[in-house]
Amino acid sequence: MRIEQGNWIEQIAHQPIWVQVAVYTLIVLTIGWLDYLLGSDIVLSLFYLIPIAWAAWCSPRPVALYTTLLSLLVIFLLAEYSSGLVYTKTIVSLWRSITRLGFFLVTSTLITRLRKTQDRLRWLSSMDELTQAVNARVFTEKLAQEIERSRRYSRPFAIAYLDLDNFKQVNDQGGHLEGDRILKLVSQGVRDSIRKTDLLARLGGDEFALLLPETDLSAAKTAISRIQTLLADTMQAEQSPITFSIGVVVCTQPPSSQALLIHYADQLMYQVKRTGKNAAQFAMYPDANAPRHNSK
């Protein structure tokens, strides 16, 4: 999983492959043309590392390899051969080409691996290790983005706050390993039930949250009902006493902050717990019962 990029250099990663190839080709040819104009007195070989490194960092490996080979070809045909640079021995030209290719390939490979390592670290820092749901920090960030998107485009969205009923009983009777296994089953079940555009987060302990973009009240009820059915079937198959209390807030207007919205969904979830558990309660935002400021 690659995290969304804000750096303008990395925006090319979101473009079609043909656009990426065209951009790198243009840069390599431009450097090659300058190399040709300047002649053999000024060496621009290091400048070819700019598109090579860019491609290795932002694009798929085949595109990075293409950029590397194109750079070598341009150096040989445009910067050296066309400019009239002649070597006394063929082996010298061959050796220079091989060493350049090796240098370019090593650089491209190292940068590609560095990028994969960074993506892995970003992924690990964004996920709850046990359940593979995103963590509370990422959920808050994504919710803030969805609020801003709703403010800009006037699109509805929903969040759900889900708590496991009787989870302490499972931990007490089966131990924490059993509790961890149940949390994994819940997370997997929810993730199997939602769209790719939806987001599941573990907020801590046995509490989860869902972000459902482009979701009105009817769609939210359908989605939550599907999740409830799957989780109930899973817990029944496990002969587990776990049930689920869920608070759902559907936003037709953006709230002032993500904390306010999370607090509202949390209140709804606790209302379900106080009135018998194992149910979902829905509310619209804004409405008369919605909190107007963050509770301390």
Side-chain angles (χ1 to χ4, degrees), residues 51-264:
I52 290 173
W54 192 3
W57 185 260
C58 297
S59 299
R61 183 60 179 165
V63 177
L65 182 60
Y66 160 81
T67 307
T68 301
L69 295 177
L70 177 64
S71 297
L72 186 68
L73 185 64
V74 167
I75 289 176
F76 179 76
L77 292 179
L78 191 59
E80 293 186 356
Y81 183 78
S82 297
S83 65
L85 183 61
V86 177
Y87 297 101
T88 56
K89 296 181 179 180
T90 304
I91 189 65
V92 175
S93 175
L94 181 61
W95 175 252
R96 285 174 65 91
S97 296
I98 292 174
T99 54
R100 281 197 187 106
L101 176 61
F103 179 66
F104 288 167
L105 285 175
V106 168
T107 300
S108 176
T109 300
L110 289 176
I111 292 176
T112 298
R113 290 184 177 180
L114 178 62
R115 182 52 188 261
K116 288 181 178 179
T117 300
Q118 186 196 58
D119 285 347
R120 176 66 177 173
L121 291 174
R122 283 182 175 177
W123 182 81
L124 289 174
S125 69
S126 69
M127 305 298 290
D128 174 65
E129 184 177 358
L130 176 65
T131 64
Q132 302 301 298
V134 302
N135 58 30
R137 175 183 59 81
V138 173
F139 181 80
T140 302
E141 292 173 356
K142 295 296 184 182
L143 179 56
Q145 293 173 10
E146 188 61 29
I147 289 173
E148 182 57 33
R149 196 174 76 91
S150 176
R151 182 174 291 113
R152 181 175 301 179
Y153 301 110
S154 300
R155 302 298 300 168
F157 69 94
I159 72 165
Y161 208 104
L162 184 151
D163 184 85
L164 277 63
D165 306 320
N166 308 315
F167 186 69
K168 186 177 183 301
Q169 177 183 336
V170 171
N171 270 338
D172 290 344
Q173 294 179 354
H176 289 290
L177 289 179
E178 176 64 13
D180 288 348
R181 190 180 71 85
I182 292 296
L183 290 174
K184 291 178 184 179
L185 285 175
V186 170
S187 176
Q188 187 63 56
V190 174
R191 286 185 284 122
D192 288 344
S193 302
I194 59 179
R195 305 167 297 182
K196 291 183 179 180
T197 53
D198 300 332
L199 185 69
L200 174 69
R202 184 187 180 196
L203 300 185
D206 59 341
E207 295 183 344
F208 293 85
L210 269 171
L211 174 61
L212 308 171
E214 298 286 335
T215 302
D216 57 17
L217 181 60
S218 175
K221 287 183 176 180
T222 299
I224 297 302
S225 176
R226 182 170 61 249
I227 291 171
Q228 286 177 299
T229 299
L230 186 146
L231 291 180
D233 290 344
T234 301
M235 293 303 106
Q236 184 176 6
E238 293 290 326
Q239 297 183 337
S240 172
I242 296 289
T243 57
F244 302 89
S245 297
I246 307 173
V248 186
V249 181
V250 178
C251 293
T252 56
Q253 295 179 19
S256 58
S257 72
Q258 61 269 31
L260 179 68
L261 200 58
I262 292 173
H263 172 62
Y264 192 16

